[in-house]
């Protein structure tokens, strides 16, 4: 018996020793596995923290005017922009030991397991804030063991690579609060209509209770459940020494007002402009569609909300509701190229096609200022005269071209270029175009930033080749700013979800036109509103002159299917087009006036609170003299109309007008010498 006992004892010792060895081996393996996991996590490095977020579009004064919409609202804000009460409430109810563990709260895990055993069900969660953040960032929410293992691994990676404040910030920006609101900023805006930084203790404790079950604890789903959950959170905050009992009681009793909608939910500001901005993000900044829609970008744009509203209102006011005619409008700051207003059509929901930037339409006589700018560089001046009469141009190839003036009205005599522009004389324009050579206008159009193809034909002088509204607004900006090159700008800055600037528009100053010639052309374009210049026809701006209260320069244009008005004050350039999408002729008189009326009333409304400015002459290179606008000669006191006209220095007229002289001894010219036949008339002979 004793021997058997001894043998049994020895067997027991051997058995225990084997168990100990196996346990040690198991522990070593577990330790090696743990070290391997930690090493692998370290090798992988910091996991990215980016999550889908709404992209915001801001106007020129920082007002949110739109956002990407995929049914979810996601905004990322820094921890310092979150109410301390909300931070404390969240930590207190979700993970009171957050700042003391390394991703896993083992005491809480053990307590939750014990509670589940007693209840024979899963009744208590044990996930830390870091674990929940890992789930929000990387995982599909399911209850498989694979998900739990991956969650634990991501938790380790987060804790190894990020400070606690970054993890807490990420969690608060990704947790779901119901009703499509992800993160505290979206939730604060939805439930209380305010920023997360502005939440009171009562609001913060109410909000902190929602993530446990948005369908149960949202105050909009059940105020009873929400209040009960709020009281529990306030009690935990008291227990964890964030607040005292008196403060908790006051917060619990404080009445709250719930909004239940997003401030930007129904924003429909400038939809055509917003589309153009997205295209610029895609084509100019080379961002992909997912980044644009879900990258949490802040896109700072050039849009002026007041001017945009004015543009939309004037179109509604002056275009008949029963008409199918469409409108495109672009308003720009000529100094910077910033697009301040854009309308691409009358109803975005019916037709998102952007006629301001996509449509290519014939500009008509709005091409003439570009043509005449080219002529100023080839010896022409505002006083250069040509004969305005019914004319057929015959060419060496046997072809011919017969342009017509409006209503077939002609001067049947000599008129100066300034008068030809004001009255929109087509014969003068075609003669100038052919004299300069058809290629000259094509190249000059490119110089003015016009991107569409120009046909090498006589009718190009009358705007027969299509252009875009935005290109024409840009071209006229160069007249308004003294000849500096500008490009249409929609975006000034883009920030990523962390607030890092990934794009910023850099201002540049490049002289594209001669300042003196640009100013001379600008002053010539003021003539379309000067009814003193009426001759065989009225100046083209006479119908809207009474509306205008400040100096403007511009040019109207029309074809059978298109109506234009482009003009500017020193602060703002606006191009307006009106017409039918399918090129239907504009027959009604009222429809032919839409572009002019919209332009005039928009400019007045847009600049209502701006100072009245005159067009400023360059410091050198121009001279102003009084001329008789009917013949372009220096005016005398006997002339019925004396108009101050600017010329490039050295090109001003020297001959005085003698048409109205009462003194027969008055010399015919400034130097007493009769002017000879102009050189360009000697070189070029027109067929009649």
């Amino acid at each position: 018996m004793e021997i058997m006992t001894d043998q049994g004892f020895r067997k027991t010792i051997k058995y225990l020793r084997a168990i100990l060895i196996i346990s040690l081996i198991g522990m070593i393996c577990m330790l090696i596995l743990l070290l391997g996991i930690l090493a692998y996590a370290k090798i992988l490095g910091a996991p990215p923290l980016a999550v889908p977020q709404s992209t915001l579009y801001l106007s020129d004064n920082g007002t949110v005017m739109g956002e990407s919409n995929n049914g979810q609202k996601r905004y990322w804000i820094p921890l310092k922009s979150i109410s301390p009460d909300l931070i404390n409430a969240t930590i207190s109810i979700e993970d009171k030991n957050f700042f003391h563990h390394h991703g896993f709260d083992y005491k809480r895990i053990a307590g939750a397991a014990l509670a589940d055993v007693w209840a024979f069900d899963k009744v208590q969660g044990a996930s830390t804030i870091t674990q929940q953040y890992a789930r929000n960032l990387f995982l599909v929410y399911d209850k498989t063991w694979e998900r739990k293992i991956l969650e634990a691994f991501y938790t380790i990676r987060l804790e190894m690579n990020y400070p606690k404040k970054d993890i807490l910030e990420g969690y608060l920006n990704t947790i779901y609060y119901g009703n499509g609101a992800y993160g505290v900023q979206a939730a604060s805006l939805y439930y209380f209509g305010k920023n997360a930084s502005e939440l009171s203790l009562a609001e913060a404790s109410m909000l902190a209770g929602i993530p446990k079950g948005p369908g149960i604890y949202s105050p909009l789903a059940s105020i009873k459940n929400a209040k009960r959950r709020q009281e529990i959170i306030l009690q935990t905050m008291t227990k964890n020494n964030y607040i005292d009992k008196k403060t908790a009681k006051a917060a619990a009793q404080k009445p709250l007002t719930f909004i239940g909608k997003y401030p930007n939910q129904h924003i429909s500001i400038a939809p055509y402009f917003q589309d153009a901005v997205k295209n610029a993000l895609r084509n100019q900044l080379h961002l992909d569609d997912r980044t644009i829609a879900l990258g949490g970008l802040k896109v700072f744009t050039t849009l002026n909300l007041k001017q945009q509203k004015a543009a939309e209102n004037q179109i509604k006011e002056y275009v008949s509701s029963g008409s199918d005619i469409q409108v495109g409008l672009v308003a720009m700051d000529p100094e910077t190229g910033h697009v301040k207003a854009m309308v691409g059509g009358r109803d975005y929901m019916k037709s998102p096609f952007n006629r301001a930037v996509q449509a290519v339409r014939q500009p008509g006589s709005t091409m003439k200022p570009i043509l005449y700018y080219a002529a100023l560089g080839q010896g022409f001046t505002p006083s250069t005269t040509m004969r305005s009469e019914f004319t057929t141009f015959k060419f060496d190839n046997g072809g011919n071209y017969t342009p017509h003036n409006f209503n077939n009205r002609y001067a049947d005599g000599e008129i100066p270029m300034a008068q030809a522009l004001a009255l929109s004389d087509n014969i003068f324009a075609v003669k100038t175009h052919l004299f300069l050579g058809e290629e000259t206008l094509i190249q000059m159009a490119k110089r003015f930033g016009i991107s569409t193809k120009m046909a090498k034909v006589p009718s190009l002088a009358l705007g027969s080749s299509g252009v875009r509204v935005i290109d024409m607004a840009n071209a006229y900006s160069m007249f308004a700013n003294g000849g500096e090159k500008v490009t249409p700008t929609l975006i000034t800055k883009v920030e990523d979800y962390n607030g890092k600037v990934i794009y910023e528009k850099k201002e540049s100053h490049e002289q594209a036109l001669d300042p003196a010639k640009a100013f001379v052309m600008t002053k010539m374009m003021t003539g379309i509103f000067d009814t003193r210049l009426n001759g065989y026809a009225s100046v083209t701006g006479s119908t809207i002159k009474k509306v205008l209260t400040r100096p403007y320069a511009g040019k109207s244009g029309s074809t059978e299917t298109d109506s234009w008005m482009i003009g500017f004050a020193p602060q703002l350039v606006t191009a307006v087009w009106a017409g039918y999408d399918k090129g239907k002729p504009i027959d009604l008189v009222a429809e032919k006036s839409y572009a002019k009326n919209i332009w005039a009333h928009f400019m007045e409304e847009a600049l209502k609170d701006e100072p009245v400015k005159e067009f400023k002459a360059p410091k050198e290179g121009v001279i102003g003299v009084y001329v008789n606008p009917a013949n372009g000669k220096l005016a005398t006191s006997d002339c019925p109309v004396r108009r101050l006209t600017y010329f490039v220095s050295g090109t001003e007229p020297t001959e005085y007008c003698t048409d109205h002289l009462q003194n027969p001894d008055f010399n015919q010219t400034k130097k007493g010498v009769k002017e000879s036949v102009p050189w360009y008339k000697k070189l070029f002979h027109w067929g009649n």
Side-chain angles (χ1 to χ4, degrees):
M1 289 290 294
E2 290 180 0
I3 294 173
M4 289 180 61
T5 302
D6 184 58
Q7 288 177 345
F9 178 74
R10 289 178 181 176
K11 287 181 179 180
T12 301
I13 294 297
K14 288 181 179 180
Y15 180 73
L16 292 174
R17 185 181 298 162
I19 291 175
L20 180 61
I21 291 171
I22 292 171
S23 298
L24 287 172
I25 292 172
M27 290 176 65
I28 291 171
C29 290
M30 288 293 292
L31 181 61
I32 292 172
L33 179 62
L34 179 60
L35 291 173
I37 291 172
L38 294 175
Y40 182 56
K42 192 67 178 177
I43 291 170
L44 288 177
L49 301 182
V51 294
Q53 297 172 48
S54 300
T55 289
L56 298 179
Y57 298 93
L58 293 82
S59 68
D60 63 352
N61 66 357
T63 301
V64 175
M65 65 178 192
E67 65 178 296
S68 58
N69 183 12
N70 65 337
Q72 301 177 358
K73 304 294 180 183
R74 297 176 180 264
Y75 313 112
W76 191 287
I77 58 174
L79 199 62
K80 65 182 181 181
S81 296
I82 301 173
S83 164
D85 287 329
L86 182 55
I87 295 172
N88 295 336
T90 301
I91 293 173
S92 190
I93 194 64
E94 295 291 341
D95 188 1
K96 67 178 182 179
N97 296 317
F98 172 71
F99 288 105
H100 305 292
H101 61 64
H102 298 288
F104 305 95
D105 190 338
Y106 300 107
K107 289 183 180 179
R108 190 177 179 190
I109 292 172
L114 188 61
D116 291 349
V117 169
W118 278 107
F120 293 99
D121 196 5
K122 185 169 179 60
V123 296
Q124 186 170 321
S127 294
T128 63
I129 282 176
T130 310
Q131 288 175 280
Q132 293 181 61
Y133 184 31
R135 186 184 312 147
N136 295 341
L137 272 177
F138 310 110
L139 308 170
V140 175
Y141 190 82
D142 54 34
K143 296 185 177 182
T144 64
W145 280 105
E146 181 183 3
R147 194 273 297 168
K148 289 181 178 293
I149 291 170
L150 285 173
E151 178 185 306
F153 183 64
Y154 278 121
T155 299
I156 292 170
R157 289 183 67 193
L158 286 171
E159 288 281 347
M160 287 182 70
N161 291 284
Y162 291 103
K164 286 287 188 179
K165 67 178 184 63
D166 287 356
I167 295 172
L168 181 59
E169 178 182 301
Y171 171 77
L172 289 169
N173 277 292
T174 56
I175 197 69
Y176 185 54
Y177 288 88
N179 294 287
Y182 286 82
V184 294
Q185 179 68 0
S188 298
L189 290 170
Y190 181 80
Y191 288 102
F192 298 110
K194 60 176 65 175
N195 293 317
S197 61
E198 302 168 337
L199 294 172
S200 66
L201 174 61
E203 293 165 336
S205 56
M206 177 64 71
L207 211 57
I210 298 175
K212 180 176 175 65
I216 300 172
Y217 298 110
S218 165
L220 302 179
S222 171
I223 189 63
K224 182 179 178 181
N225 291 342
K227 288 295 294 182
R228 188 183 302 124
R229 180 72 173 162
Q230 181 196 36
E231 289 172 1
I232 292 172
I233 291 171
L234 290 169
Q235 289 170 10
T236 62
M237 293 181 73
T238 302
K239 185 178 179 181
N240 294 321
N241 298 317
Y242 287 114
I243 56 175
D244 56 32
K245 290 183 179 180
K246 182 179 179 181
T247 303
K249 184 178 180 180
Q253 295 176 347
K254 186 175 181 180
L256 298 176
T257 300
F258 304 104
I259 304 300
K261 66 179 181 179
Y262 296 102
N264 307 324
Q265 191 168 16
H266 302 294
I267 282 180
S268 57
I269 297 172
Y272 292 102
F273 179 84
Q274 291 194 44
D275 274 1
V277 168
K278 291 170 189 174
N279 284 331
L281 291 172
R282 191 179 298 114
N283 300 324
Q284 296 174 21
L285 276 64
H286 307 294
L287 299 179
D288 59 72
D289 288 337
R290 177 174 173 79
T291 301
I292 294 170
L294 301 172
L297 306 176
K298 276 190 178 180
V299 183
F300 296 83
T301 77
T302 59
L303 191 82
N304 182 286
L305 296 177
K306 174 192 144 189
Q307 294 180 5
Q308 179 65 28
K309 184 177 180 181
E312 293 171 356
N313 287 345
Q314 298 309 325
I315 290 170
K316 289 179 182 177
E317 177 73 20
Y318 289 98
V319 179
S320 170
S321 59
S323 174
D324 292 329
I325 208 163
Q326 286 291 348
V327 177
L329 180 150
V330 173
M332 286 176 57
D333 180 336
E335 295 297 327
T336 61
H338 290 182
V339 175
K340 312 309 291 184
M342 176 184 289
V343 179
R346 292 174 58 198
D347 190 330
Y348 180 82
M349 298 304 295
K350 290 182 180 179
S351 174
F353 179 70
N354 193 337
R355 297 154 188 86
V357 298
Q358 293 175 283
V360 177
R361 305 297 297 239
Q362 292 180 330
S365 293
T366 60
M367 282 295 290
K368 289 175 182 175
I370 298 174
L371 170 68
Y372 292 151
Y373 174 84
L376 291 178
Q378 298 293 328
F380 283 67
T381 79
S383 289
T384 296
T385 60
M386 288 189 187
R387 191 169 180 81
S388 167
E389 60 188 354
F390 181 86
T391 305
T392 296
F393 295 88
K394 299 175 182 178
F395 304 100
D396 294 340
N397 61 7
N400 58 69
Y401 173 55
T402 307
H404 299 277
N405 278 350
F406 180 69
N407 286 338
N408 283 313
R409 298 175 68 180
Y410 307 91
D412 290 325
E414 299 280 330
I415 60 169
M417 185 164 70
Q419 183 88 331
L421 180 64
L423 304 180
S424 202
D425 190 279
N426 290 335
I427 307 304
F428 195 107
V430 174
K431 285 182 177 180
T432 303
H433 177 49
L434 294 176
F435 175 78
L436 298 178
E438 293 168 337
E439 186 65 28
T440 299
L441 182 53
I442 294 173
Q443 294 305 316
M444 189 57 68
K446 291 180 182 178
R447 190 169 165 187
F448 273 84
I450 294 174
S451 57
T452 47
K453 187 176 180 180
M454 300 283 105
K456 193 175 179 179
V457 292
S459 60
L460 181 61
L462 308 183
S464 60
S465 290
V467 297
R468 296 183 176 91
V469 177
I470 195 167
D471 282 353
M472 293 303 285
N474 184 65
Y476 276 57
S477 291
M478 296 188 201
F479 288 127
N481 68 21
E484 281 196 4
K485 181 179 180 180
V486 289
T487 54
T489 299
L490 308 176
I491 302 168
T492 57
K493 185 171 66 172
V494 180
E495 294 178 353
D496 66 11
Y497 73 96
N498 274 325
K500 179 183 177 183
V501 177
I502 60 174
Y503 168 80
E504 190 160 17
K505 171 72 175 177
K506 291 188 170 46
E507 300 297 335
S508 61
H509 298 279
E510 179 184 342
Q511 201 68 33
L513 309 178
D514 179 81
K517 296 183 180 70
F519 180 74
V520 169
M521 273 309 310
T522 294
K523 296 299 288 187
M524 281 177 62
M525 282 189 276
T526 65
I528 77 162
F529 306 112
D530 189 346
T531 54
R532 297 177 305 161
L533 303 186
N534 290 342
Y536 66 86
S538 298
V539 292
T540 55
S542 60
T543 57
I544 54 176
K545 175 179 169 56
K546 292 182 180 179
V547 177
L548 308 178
T549 61
R550 62 176 68 219
Y552 293 106
K555 186 71 188 76
S556 60
S558 62
T559 68
E560 186 182 16
T561 57
D562 303 275
S563 177
W564 291 77
M565 181 64 207
I566 311 174
F568 53 93
Q571 307 101 307
L572 189 68
V573 175
T574 302
V576 181
W577 164 86
Y580 291 95
D581 281 338
K582 295 183 179 180
K584 172 185 171 184
I586 303 174
D587 294 325
L588 298 178
V589 175
E591 291 181 340
K592 293 178 180 179
S593 67
Y594 285 160
K596 287 182 183 178
N597 281 323
I598 291 168
W599 177 87
H601 289 88
F602 166 73
M603 291 295 285
E604 286 293 304
E605 180 67 22
L607 298 173
K608 183 169 60 176
D609 299 324
E610 297 295 322
V612 175
K613 291 186 177 181
E614 297 283 347
F615 295 108
K616 189 176 180 181
K619 293 181 179 179
E620 56 184 18
V622 297
I623 184 171
V625 296
Y626 284 94
V627 301
N628 180 346
N631 56 30
K633 297 177 181 179
L634 292 170
T636 70
S637 58
D638 297 311
C639 291
V641 179
R642 301 170 69 249
R643 189 169 197 270
L644 180 61
T645 304
Y646 282 84
F647 297 80
V648 175
S649 295
T651 68
E652 66 274 14
T654 57
E655 184 180 359
Y656 279 94
C657 172
T658 59
D659 294 350
H660 314 93
L661 284 181
Q662 296 178 4
N663 180 1
D665 295 328
F666 191 86
N667 290 330
Q668 287 186 307
T669 70
K670 192 174 182 180
K671 297 180 181 179
V673 180
K674 187 174 181 180
E675 188 177 34
S676 59
V677 176
W679 57 273
Y680 53 85
K681 293 184 180 179
K682 292 180 179 179
L683 294 175
F684 208 92
H685 301 281
W686 311 108
N688 295 323

